[in-house]
């Protein structure tokens, strides 16, 4: 299985801050990477696909970059409604695998 | 608008079979393009991919669950199903169904394994 390692596991930032999450794959996955946002009690919501493509309707303050084994997810200006846990997920190989999640809180 | 809805028992006894159904609307499960997935999430943990079924009924499973899991299609009802046999407390989780691109998910259903 491909291991997806996210960091940090949690972070606290102020409204308006730039927030960055990294995701490392245990082998080359090209750009076959999704980023999801999950709020408590809700299903994950797809934000970014193919590592850098914004899903329709997702605010432009969210962005993704990277390829191969190293990926970055950025919130350019953190908003109160962004509080959630974020996950990366690879779809290069089966089984599909997810990172451990990054919990984002407001300072 | 694509919608998915899980249904099934919320409580299953140890050693029995967990059975869930995912009803799909706004898309046809045998349209020939998307696979259909089951994913689960124990409380406070990350997501675990269980497996998927193609529009023609071809399945792929997570090796960690392969010996116990079956996913199938019912095209007449436009739904797909999950069966997980010989469950233990470790199978307690919120179970989600999702379209192959993972852009559409059900709301999730909590299944507790307990006697």
């Amino acid at each position: 299985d491909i291991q997806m390692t996210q960091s940090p596991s949690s972070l606290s930032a102020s409204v308006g801050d730039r927030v960055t999450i990294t995701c490392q794959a245990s082998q080359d996955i090209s750009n076959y990477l999704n980023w999801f946002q999950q709020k408590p009690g809700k299903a994950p919501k797809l934000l970014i696909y193919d590592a850098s493509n914004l899903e329709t309707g997702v605010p432009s303050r969210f962005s993704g970059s990277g390829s191969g084994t190293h990926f970055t997810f950025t919130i350019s200006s953190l908003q109160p409604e962004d509080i959630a846990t974020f996950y990366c997920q690879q779809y290069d190989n089966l089984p599909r695998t997810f990172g451990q999640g990054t919990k984002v809180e407001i300072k | 608008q694509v919608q998915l809805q899980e249904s099934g028992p919320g409580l299953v006894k140890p050693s029995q079979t967990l059975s869930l159904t995912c009803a799909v609307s706004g898309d046809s499960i045998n349209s020939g393009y998307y696979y259909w997935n089951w994913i689960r999430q124990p409380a406070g943990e990350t997501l675990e991919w269980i497996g998927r079924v193609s529009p023609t009924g071809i399945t792929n499973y997570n090796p960690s669950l392969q010996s116990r899991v079956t996913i199938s299609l019912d095209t007449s009802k436009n739904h797909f199903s999950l069966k997980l046999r010989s469950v233990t407390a470790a199978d307690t989780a919120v179970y989600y169904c999702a379209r192959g691109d993972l852009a559409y998910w059900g709301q999730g259903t909590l299944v507790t394994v307990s006697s």
Side-chain angles (χ1 to χ4, degrees):
Chain A
D1 298 6
I2 297 176
Q3 305 303 314
M4 306 300 293
T5 305
Q6 273 182 252
S7 62
S9 57
S10 65
L11 65 88
S12 182
S14 299
V15 172
D17 281 356
R18 184 180 185 87
V19 168
T20 299
I21 299 168
T22 64
C23 180
Q24 185 98 12
S26 60
Q27 65 186 68
D28 190 336
I29 59 169
S30 185
N31 66 333
Y32 296 120
L33 186 93
N34 287 328
W35 287 98
F36 294 91
Q37 176 189 51
Q38 187 178 33
K39 297 184 177 181
K42 300 295 187 182
K45 176 185 177 183
L46 180 64
L47 301 180
I48 303 283
Y49 64 94
D50 291 347
S52 61
N53 290 321
L54 199 65
E55 178 72 357
T56 302
V58 173
S60 59
R61 64 180 180 274
F62 297 105
S63 65
S65 65
S67 66
T69 62
H70 187 78
F71 302 87
T72 300
F73 173 79
T74 300
I75 307 173
S76 60
S77 177
L78 185 66
Q79 299 302 303
E81 61 267 31
D82 299 338
I83 300 315
T85 300
F86 294 85
Y87 296 94
C88 62
Q89 177 251 330
Q90 67 80 21
Y91 50 99
D92 182 56
N93 273 10
L94 296 176
R96 305 303 192 218
T97 48
F98 293 82
Q100 290 302 304
T102 297
K103 187 173 184 178
V104 174
E105 298 175 323
I106 294 286
K107 193 180 294 183
Chain B
Q1 174 75 351
V2 179
Q3 293 184 318
L4 295 88
Q5 177 69 58
E6 305 90 349
S7 61
L11 181 64
V12 181
K13 288 181 166 50
S15 80
Q16 294 192 342
T17 297
L18 179 160
S19 296
L20 295 174
T21 295
C22 180
V24 178
S25 59
D27 197 355
S28 173
I29 61 172
N30 63 346
S31 64
Y33 190 75
Y34 291 110
Y35 279 72
W36 300 90
N37 294 267
W38 286 99
I39 294 164
R40 70 180 183 179
Q41 185 174 36
E45 298 186 26
T46 189
L47 299 139
E48 180 181 31
W49 182 79
I50 299 170
R52 68 181 188 177
V53 60
S54 79
T56 58
I58 296 170
T59 53
N60 303 106
Y61 301 128
N62 193 320
S64 67
L65 298 168
Q66 182 154 3
S67 64
R68 299 193 291 131
V69 68
T70 301
I71 298 174
S72 59
L73 288 176
D74 186 336
T75 56
S76 66
K77 297 180 181 178
N78 209 44
H79 73 208
F80 62 108
S81 299
L82 169 70
K83 290 189 185 300
L84 184 64
R85 296 175 291 278
S86 305
V87 297
T88 70
D91 295 310
T92 294
V94 175
Y95 285 75
Y96 295 100
C97 57
R99 200 174 73 173
D101 55 354
L102 302 189
Y104 295 95
W105 295 61
Q107 64 186 26
T109 187
L110 174 62
V111 179
T112 301
V113 178
S114 175
S115 55

